[in-house]
């Protein structure tokens, strides 16, 4: 009898945007360790190649890399098509992780930075999912995991555009579900809480803010990037074949309590 292995994703192909460092790199590493062929994505081709080589050596998986502008429709069309072609015409898993953050008092928030946040955090996820879904729909299967945030449902001062973009990711996820679920594609969102990365190191090092995070989080700690990997692997696996349009918060319980 063949063992029942609903979480097995070995041999599948995965593309993770914004994966040269931080959460994206950790998610890509988790997929590679699980037997996936992985395509990294970033903006700095030199550092991206260094990361690619290190991840390939570390995991023994086939790791590729690409760099293209996620906010430009033409670049996304050609870039995603090249990703699919590099995988022999089959893209099984898309992780829309790329994102940026900016902080300003509301009255002083530059409109240009609002536009940039929406473009990178929301528009790019739409463009990449739209293009990647073509091959998934044609094949009748695929997994799209959008990286949302605790800010998809909770707001804080000075980051209104970021909160708006991550709230948009939730509805983008549901909209994609409405359009694609009947074609055998599952689209869900993974929403991290406060995660310790190199990008949040200054906040971790701020005693007042860090005390607020640990006090507000029932788990009484910051999350680590590896805390997100299990949920990603679940959503990417056959175990989640009837899970669609959902948001899974990995936040130590912060959104569950007042």
């Amino acid at each position: 009898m063949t063992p029942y292995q609903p979480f097995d994703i070995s041999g599948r192909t995965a593309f993770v945007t914004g994966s040269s460092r931080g959460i994206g790199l950790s998610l890509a590493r988790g997929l590679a360790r699980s037997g996936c062929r992985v395509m990294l994505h970033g903006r700095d081709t030199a550092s991206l190649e260094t990361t690619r080589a290190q991840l390939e050596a570390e995991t023994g998986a086939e790791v590729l890399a690409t760099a293209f502008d996620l906010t430009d429709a033409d670049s996304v069309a050609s870039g995603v098509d090249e990703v699919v072609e590099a995988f022999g015409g089959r893209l099984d898993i898309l992780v829309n992780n790329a994102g940026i953050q900016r902080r300003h008092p509301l009255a002083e928030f530059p409109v240009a930075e609002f536009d940039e946040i929406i473009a990178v955090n929301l528009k790019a996820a739409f463009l990449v999912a739209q293009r990647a879904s073509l091959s998934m729909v044609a094949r009748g299967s695929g997994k799209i995991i959008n990286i949302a945030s605790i800010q998809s449902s909770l707001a804080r001062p000075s980051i209104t555009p970021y909160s708006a973009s991550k709230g948009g990711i939730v509805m983008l996820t549901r909209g994609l579900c409405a359009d694609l679920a009947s074609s055998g594609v599952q689209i869900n969102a993974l929403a991290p809480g406060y995660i310790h990365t190199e990008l949040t190191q200054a906040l971790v090092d701020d005693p007042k803010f860090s005390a607020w995070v640990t006090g507000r989080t029932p788990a009484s700690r910051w999350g680590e990037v590896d805390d997100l990997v299990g949920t990603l692997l679940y959503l990417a696996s056959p175990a989640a074949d009837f899970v669609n349009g959902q948001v899974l918060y990995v936040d130590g319980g912060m959104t569950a309590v007042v």
Side-chain angles (χ1 to χ4, degrees), residues 5 7 14 41 45 53 106 122 129 148 161 163 166 212 234 237 247 249:
Q5 297 178 313
F7 299 99
H41 168 270
T45 55
L106 179 63
L122 184 57
S163 298
K166 290 302 184 177
W212 176 82
Y234 163 65
S237 76
V247 183
Y249 285 89

Side-chain angles (χ1 to χ4, degrees), residues 39-217:
M39 179 76 74
L40 301 179
H41 168 270
R43 291 178 290 183
D44 184 332
T45 55
S47 63
L48 186 61
E49 173 54 28
T50 299
T51 301
R52 184 209 66 76
Q54 291 174 341
L55 185 58
E56 189 169 69
E58 172 191 337
T59 63
E62 180 183 2
V63 181
L64 307 174
T66 186
F68 59 87
D69 183 356
L70 297 175
T71 67
D72 178 77
D74 291 337
S75 294
V76 169
S78 58
V80 171
D81 287 353
E82 288 175 7
V83 170
V84 174
E85 183 179 351
F87 285 144
R90 182 183 182 97
L91 177 58
D92 298 301
I93 302 160
L94 165 65
V95 183
N96 271 318
N97 169 76
I100 59 172
Q101 172 68 291
R102 301 285 186 268
R103 291 180 172 85
H104 299 285
L106 179 63
E108 301 169 15
F109 217 108
V111 173
E113 291 191 16
F114 173 90
D115 291 340
E116 181 187 21
I117 290 168
I118 296 300
V120 175
N121 294 5
L122 184 57
K123 177 184 176 183
F126 168 78
L127 291 175
V128 177
Q130 181 186 48
R131 193 69 179 189
S133 69
L134 298 179
S135 64
M136 293 179 176
V137 168
R139 196 176 66 251
S141 67
K143 305 281 187 175
I144 298 175
I145 299 106
N146 297 322
I147 303 304
S149 168
I150 198 168
Q151 304 299 334
S152 296
S153 63
L154 302 176
R156 279 186 59 80
S158 80
I159 57 169
T160 293
Y162 181 83
S163 298
S165 71
K166 290 302 184 177
I169 284 290
V170 171
M171 291 312 300
L172 175 66
T173 299
R174 292 171 179 167
L176 291 172
C177 170
D179 280 323
L180 302 175
S182 63
S183 298
V185 182
Q186 291 84 53
I187 309 91
N188 293 289
L190 189 167
Y194 284 91
I195 306 297
H196 181 187
T197 71
E198 59 263 44
L199 298 179
T200 61
Q201 188 63 53
L203 296 176
V204 173
D205 293 339
D206 181 330
K208 183 177 180 181
F209 190 84
S210 202
W212 176 82
V213 169
T214 56
R216 178 66 177 79
T217 304

Side-chain angles (χ1 to χ4, degrees), residues 192-258:
Y194 284 91
I195 306 297
H196 181 187
T197 71
E198 59 263 44
L199 298 179
T200 61
Q201 188 63 53
L203 296 176
V204 173
D205 293 339
D206 181 330
K208 183 177 180 181
F209 190 84
S210 202
W212 176 82
V213 169
T214 56
R216 178 66 177 79
T217 304
S220 300
R221 67 174 176 87
W222 281 78
E224 300 294 337
V225 287
D226 286 346
D227 289 324
L228 306 173
V229 174
T231 301
L232 172 75
L233 298 181
Y234 163 65
L235 291 174
S237 76
D241 278 354
F242 201 55
V243 179
N244 224 327
Q246 302 304 306
V247 183
L248 273 66
Y249 285 89
V250 183
D251 63 359
M254 182 177 278
T255 53
V257 300
V258 296

